[in-house]
Amino acid sequence: MNASSFKAEFGPVALVTGASSGIGRSFAERLAAMGMDLVLVARRVERLEQLAARLEDTCAVRAKVCQVDLSHATAARQILDATASLDIGLVVSNAGFGLKGEHANNDPRAMTDMLMVNCNTPMLLAHGFIPRLRQRGRGGIIFTSSVEALIGCPFSTAYSASKSFVNNLGEGLWGELAPEGIKVLTICPGATDTEAAALQGIDPATLRNVMAPQQVAGLALENIDNGPVLICSEHYKAVFEQLLALPRRQALTLMAGSMKK
């Protein structure tokens, strides 16, 4: 799909959550390059304003900044209200974060915030935007999940559970909306060159087969017609296919041992 036809189906405005860094910022850059106006959502307003100014200058698009803490129960409503007058044809629900380590050692408040950001807000954003997309008669939703959604991952237990929710949400909505011509795609990246690893206490230098966030965003936009789920990395697709072919107990034991190392 070229930029003109993409904009005709999903334009004129796209919304991107988690746009201040990583995959979300790359989504914004890719969409702006196709001539899409943007709503950029995140907490770090200074980063959003810098990104908005750069994209407006280099791509001749309009970019609205929307500072929202997506862990708050009212986050989706704030976004829906702020965009009520805009013709948004593409919702990129990208924001999310993870926690590593033994489940019993994770901070309860951090886990609650993670569920709000990773699960609750995407669910309510979809609930609020679907009637608007139906009224338009076209458009789409992209959810950013993870390969860790494919099986319960020891020492990443709550995060992988939250991303499993995202996969099921996206698959269910694909089944509901595909007959109406509304596209739904859930992407499952593997290791990606973003801030996330360091924030979770992982040394980025130890990661292998790392994808660039620009590549992940590009694959998502190129495959929006090919839902319901896209595993972005061929390496991680092969790894998880091997794991899922094993008896579940064996796969989980292998994963737990690997994570401990």
Side-chain angles (χ1 to χ4, degrees):
M1 189 183 298
N2 61 36
S4 178
S5 58
F6 188 95
K7 186 176 179 181
E9 181 169 357
F10 300 103
V13 186
L15 179 140
V16 182
T17 69
S20 59
S21 66
I23 296 172
R25 182 173 61 199
S26 294
F27 268 118
E29 291 168 344
R30 291 266 182 169
L31 291 164
M34 291 192 286
M36 300 274 284
D37 291 336
L38 297 165
V39 178
L40 307 174
V41 182
R43 289 179 304 170
R44 295 177 290 190
V45 68
E46 297 85 359
R47 289 192 177 194
L48 293 181
E49 289 172 345
Q50 291 171 4
L51 176 62
R54 175 165 60 85
L55 296 179
E56 287 180 340
D57 181 55
T58 59
C59 300
V61 299
R62 289 178 292 181
K64 176 183 175 69
V65 167
C66 193
Q67 184 185 24
V68 178
D69 186 338
L70 297 173
S71 69
H72 288 179
T74 60
R77 176 45 53 192
Q78 292 178 56
I79 296 167
L80 290 163
D81 289 345
T83 60
S85 64
L86 300 177
D87 185 12
I88 292 176
L90 180 64
V91 177
V92 182
S93 181
N94 166 80
F97 72 93
L99 300 169
K100 300 298 184 190
E102 291 189 14
H103 184 70
N105 293 337
N106 283 332
D107 177 65
R109 176 59 185 271
M111 288 192 289
T112 299
D113 287 348
M114 184 177 66
L115 289 180
M116 295 297 286
V117 174
N118 293 5
C119 303
N120 189 66
T121 296
M123 176 181 68
L124 295 181
L125 276 179
H127 178 267
F129 273 107
I130 286 169
R132 301 185 189 182
L133 296 175
R134 280 177 165 153
Q135 188 173 16
R136 299 175 84 248
R138 66 191 191 284
I141 304 172
I142 296 175
F143 296 103
T144 298
S145 182
S146 168
V147 291
E148 292 194 17
L150 304 175
I151 187 173
C153 294
F155 303 101
S156 189
T157 299
Y159 174 71
S160 68
S162 74
K163 290 303 187 179
S164 177
F165 179 96
V166 175
N167 272 32
N168 287 334
L169 175 67
E171 287 187 336
L173 291 179
W174 183 89
E176 291 182 24
L177 299 175
E180 301 178 48
I182 297 171
K183 311 295 174 57
V184 181
L185 177 68
T186 301
I187 61 169
C188 294
T192 308
D193 184 15
T194 70
E195 301 171 349
L199 291 172
Q200 294 174 42
I202 300 170
D203 180 359
T206 66
L207 298 175
R208 298 291 181 269
N209 298 285
V210 179
M211 293 182 71
Q214 297 88 345
Q215 186 180 6
V216 173
L219 283 170
L221 297 175
E222 291 163 11
N223 286 278
I224 193 168
D225 288 339
N226 300 324
V229 175
L230 172 69
I231 300 175
C232 301
S233 165
E234 289 299 323
H235 168 77
Y236 282 96
K237 181 178 181 180
V239 167
F240 276 85
E241 283 178 349
Q242 291 177 350
L243 280 170
L244 294 171
L246 297 173
R248 207 68 164 186
R249 291 174 66 172
Q250 184 180 352
L252 293 169
T253 300
L254 284 171
M255 293 178 71
S258 176
M259 289 293 289
K260 279 185 177 180
K261 292 179 182 177

